[in-house]
Every structure is written in C-alpha cells, then in structure tokens.
Amino acid sequence: MSETVLSFLRYLKCSYLKGFANTSPLKIVCGNQSADLDSVVSAISFAYFSYLKDPRNPILPVVNIPRNDLDLRRDIVSVLKRQSIPKNLLYFQEDIRDLKRQFGCKVESILVDHNDPQSDLKLIIDRVIGIIDHHEDLGLYKEEIAQSNGPRIITTTGSCSSLVLNYWYDLIGPESVAQMKDSFPLCLGAALIDTSNFKFKVEEADLKVLGIYKKYLPEVNFEEYYKQIREAKDDISGFSLKSVLKKDYKEFVFDKSSSPVRCGIASVVKPLSWLRQEYGIENIDHTCSELLKEQSQDIFLILTSFIKENTFLREIAFFAHPDTIHLCDEIISQVSPALKLKPIDEVQVSSENCLKAFDQLNVSASRKQIAPCIERAVRSL
Ligand SMILES: [Mn+2]
C-alpha cells in the first residue's frame, strides 16, 4: 500500500463519500474554532493515521471555520502547499452541515485541540467519540468515549499534534511508519510554531515526537522550516482589521450565577501600537463594536504577542460598551495579579465605548490560560 495524505484525501472525496450509506454515522475529526495550524494538522493527521489502521472506516478531517476563512491563515496554506494538499480536498463547517443534510445521518466526532465541541459544529455533532487535546480538561464525554472505545487524552503539551502523533505511532508505528511519514512534515510544522522550534512550552510528548521527526525527516532543516512558517503566520499585510481580529479567534460563554458572560478573544501577532498605526483608533472602535454586536457579546479581548528587541512580549486589551464597562473593570481587577497587568493605555475610543490596554508581564500565559482565568474571575463576581 503506497498511501499518502493526498491520496487519502482524494479517496475520501472521489470514492468514499460517493458510496456513503447513511445506515452508519458519518465520522469526523475536527480541530478547534480558531483553526490554527495545530488544529488543522492534528485533524488531518488523525484521520490519515486512522485510515492506515482501518481503511474500511474512514474519518473525515474537518477545519472548524467557513471555507473562505482559510486564506487568512497563510501559515497553514503554506504548510499544506508544501505537501501539495489543495483546499478543495479539505472539509469545512458548511461541508459537514451539507453532508449531514444530504445523507440524513448522525455525525460522530473526535475532537482534537479542544475538548468540548465549538462553533457551528456544536449543533451538528451528535456524539463525541474521542478527544486528544492540550487545553484545560472540562471533564466531559467520559462515558460516551469509553463506550465507543475512543481515546480520551488530555495532557499539557506544546502542540496537540505531538499527542496525536504519539498516540498513533504507539498503535501502528512499527508496521505503518513508511506511510505515516507522509504527514510528519504537517505535524512538525505545528510543533515548530507551538514551541518556537522546540525552545518554549516543550513537554515530554513534544520531545518524543522530536526524536521521530529527527529520525524520519533528516532532509528537513528545522530552523529554516520554522522561519518560513513563522513569516507566513506573521504576514497579515493587506488584511482588513476585521480579518486580522477573526484570523485566530475564539468565543467563550462564561457562567455567572445571574447570567452568562459572552466573551470573544482574538489573538494577534502584532502589537497594539501597530494596529493603531495601521488601522486608526476609530476603525478599531468601529470594528470591535461590530464584532461585539454580531456575536452578541459582552466583552471583546485582543491578545497580542510579538518579539521586540529579541524579547517576547504580550499585551491584552479589553473592549467594552457602556453596559459592560463595569463588568469589564471587575474582571480586569480580578485577573490582574495572575497576568501581571500593567496599564499602558485607556482610551475612550468613542463617546460610549471603552478600550483598556495593558502590558501582560506574565508572558507565559496565552489564551489557553487566560480564558480559564477570566472564567474564574466571572464566577467569583
Ligand atoms: Mn493547540
């Protein structure tokens, strides 16, 4: 069997789906709603490895955004292009919605890079049959996953792709490594970005895959590959502000005894000063309030991370409208000690809305830690 990721994806589209019988559920594996490189390659690799093990029961890899939003993620586009994987062989939110309607079937999903269904797929997925993730464990789906004999692996790692690769390498590595190898450059790309070329956030699982990559990809110059993906990821030239804010974006609903607090969190690879210079404060005000309205949210956060004079820095900006400024202030004072916030700016961006910006001196906390931190703050109010 000479399988590649590309031939697997072609098989799904040209053969498997054409003969799909709705007597069985459609199985998918999907990444999280930010659809970053880690989520996308984790889903594709999981589906591919699973196919190598059990070709009769294929799983569709799903990118958890609308198809049109993929082009905003230039790092992903470049990594896929390197492996000659075209966009038209991938599945997006709307494709799964359409397939479910077309086949009139149930949808069962493995979640990678998150552990509770997110976005539109929440309404589409009927059953969770496996989880491989490196976010905070919400403790869900234990029984149904056990019933379907799926993996439920939730561990701290730099990259979720490391957990996916280790899981399958242990299962089928010895006999299938020659075929598995075709997706190693995808997983390596995510690991390089998530650990800054194995320098930060590196955990045991990441070190284990590093050994695999070194052994099976001797021709790849890691430093160069990392630089190339990093550059593509940081290249947001020509994007509208809205695209910049939606490029790496997650929504959260935090429970508060009286009413839930809805919060959107955008991650941006440039400093706030760059956003201000590039788009102007009026545009920032306008776009943030538009996003708040569109998603009916209470507060909107912009997390920035960037390198300045060889130092890795983070900032955080809280955007609120008149009704939520008070709530926002309370959250800020609660999370401030843990995140080590130092005010840099407080802008009355317009007559009614407010944007409060801080240097985040605790630079090790990314959205993965910040979201639970805000949730605890909301619950304590
Ligand atoms: Mn991840």
Side-chain angles (χ1 to χ4, degrees):
M1 186 164 71
S2 80
E3 288 295 345
T4 61
V5 177
L6 183 61
S7 70
F8 160 64
L9 292 172
R10 280 207 185 112
Y11 161 76
L12 287 180
K13 182 138 283 179
C14 305
S15 175
Y16 173 65
L17 282 176
K18 292 209 163 120
F20 186 81
N22 66 357
T23 44
S24 53
L26 181 68
K27 283 192 183 173
I28 64 171
V29 50
C30 68
N32 72 46
Q33 60 174 334
S34 78
D36 64 358
L37 182 60
D38 190 29
S39 269
V40 174
V41 304
S42 291
I44 295 174
S45 301
F46 188 102
Y48 177 57
F49 296 150
S50 165
Y51 176 70
L52 295 176
K53 163 103 171 132
D54 182 7
R56 284 163 313 157
N57 289 299
I59 301 175
L60 258 57
V62 179
V63 184
N64 202 342
I65 42 169
R67 181 173 291 271
N68 279 337
D69 288 356
L70 185 71
D71 293 337
L72 297 176
R73 293 154 176 80
R74 289 174 173 155
D75 52 337
I76 302 179
V77 173
S78 93
V79 167
L80 293 177
K81 197 170 164 199
R82 196 177 183 276
Q83 297 302 104
S84 311
I85 298 170
K87 188 169 148 185
N88 67 4
L89 289 181
L90 299 177
Y91 300 87
F92 296 84
Q93 286 172 356
E94 62 266 44
D95 300 315
I96 302 307
R97 194 167 43 233
D98 292 350
L99 287 171
K100 183 174 182 171
R101 196 175 303 139
Q102 181 191 337
F103 296 133
C105 62
K106 296 261 188 235
V107 173
E108 296 187 342
S109 183
I110 288 133
L111 311 179
V112 287
D113 209 11
H114 62 311
N115 59 81
D116 193 18
Q118 294 173 349
S119 78
D120 288 9
L121 287 177
K122 215 178 206 164
L123 307 170
I124 297 170
I125 294 169
D126 297 290
R127 186 181 162 91
V128 174
I129 54 170
I131 293 173
I132 296 187
D133 184 28
H134 62 154
H135 291 79
E136 193 176 45
D137 186 353
L138 302 174
L140 305 169
Y141 311 109
K142 287 182 181 166
E143 248 168 60
E144 44 186 307
I145 289 175
Q147 277 167 13
S148 37
N149 284 319
R152 194 179 183 287
I153 301 166
I154 305 178
T155 315
T156 309
T157 43
S159 184
C160 180
S161 65
S162 306
L163 297 175
V164 170
L165 178 50
N166 282 327
Y167 172 72
W168 285 104
Y169 192 79
D170 289 345
L171 274 179
I172 58 167
E175 70 269 24
S176 299
V177 75
Q179 289 89 38
M180 286 181 80
K181 188 177 174 276
D182 193 57
S183 90
F184 289 175
L186 300 177
C187 296
L188 171 62
L192 288 171
I193 283 293
D194 287 343
T195 64
S196 310
N197 193 5
F198 294 92
K199 288 197 185 78
F200 299 100
K201 307 202 167 190
V202 180
E203 301 287 337
E204 209 182 309
D206 304 301
L207 288 175
K208 204 174 154 197
V209 293
L210 179 60
I212 299 176
Y213 299 139
K214 281 191 171 155
K215 182 171 176 192
Y216 292 102
L217 300 172
E219 71 285 6
V220 178
N221 179 329
F222 289 16
E223 183 64 35
E224 247 169 54
Y225 189 29
Y226 170 60
K227 264 195 193 154
Q228 179 213 325
I229 306 171
R230 186 79 247 176
E231 268 172 35
K233 187 179 166 78
D234 292 349
D235 178 12
I236 53 177
S237 57
F239 288 164
S240 70
L241 177 61
K242 197 168 182 181
S243 296
V244 170
L245 296 177
K246 290 203 78 177
K247 197 170 94 70
D248 188 351
Y249 174 78
K250 285 187 184 176
E251 278 175 344
F252 297 88
V253 182
F254 299 132
D255 271 325
K256 186 165 162 266
S257 44
S258 49
S259 60
V261 173
R262 301 179 63 96
C263 174
I265 307 185
S267 291
V268 178
V269 290
K270 303 272 188 201
L272 292 166
S273 58
W274 184 91
L275 288 179
R276 241 170 126 163
Q277 213 162 38
E278 198 74 8
Y279 300 101
I281 199 74
E282 256 172 50
N283 191 354
I284 294 177
D285 175 39
H286 171 80
T287 308
C288 289
S289 37
E290 206 174 271
L291 282 168
L292 271 188
K293 252 177 239 149
E294 268 175 27
Q295 330 272 348
S296 35
Q297 278 160 6
D298 301 300
I299 47 175
F300 183 71
L301 267 64
I302 303 173
L303 312 182
T304 73
S305 59
F306 53 94
I307 293 184
K308 190 177 166 190
E309 289 153 11
N310 286 321
T311 312
F312 180 75
L313 299 173
R314 286 186 189 274
E315 302 160 324
I316 180 166
F318 296 79
F319 182 88
H321 52 78
D323 298 347
T324 57
I325 284 176
H326 180 64
L327 169 74
C328 188
D329 282 340
E330 283 189 302
I331 292 174
I332 292 171
S333 69
Q334 291 276 341
V335 301
S336 187
L339 300 179
K340 301 202 170 75
L341 301 186
K342 186 174 149 230
I344 41 175
D345 235 345
E346 179 165 335
V347 193
Q348 194 75 35
V349 281
S350 63
S351 51
E352 62 267 21
N353 300 322
C354 195
L355 182 86
K356 297 184 178 181
F358 300 84
D359 282 320
Q360 182 190 312
L361 302 183
N362 173 3
V363 291
S364 65
S366 65
R367 183 168 53 201
K368 205 178 275 118
Q369 291 77 35
I370 291 171
C373 185
I374 292 182
E375 171 149 48
R376 283 190 290 276
V378 167
R379 281 173 193 262
S380 76
L381 296 178

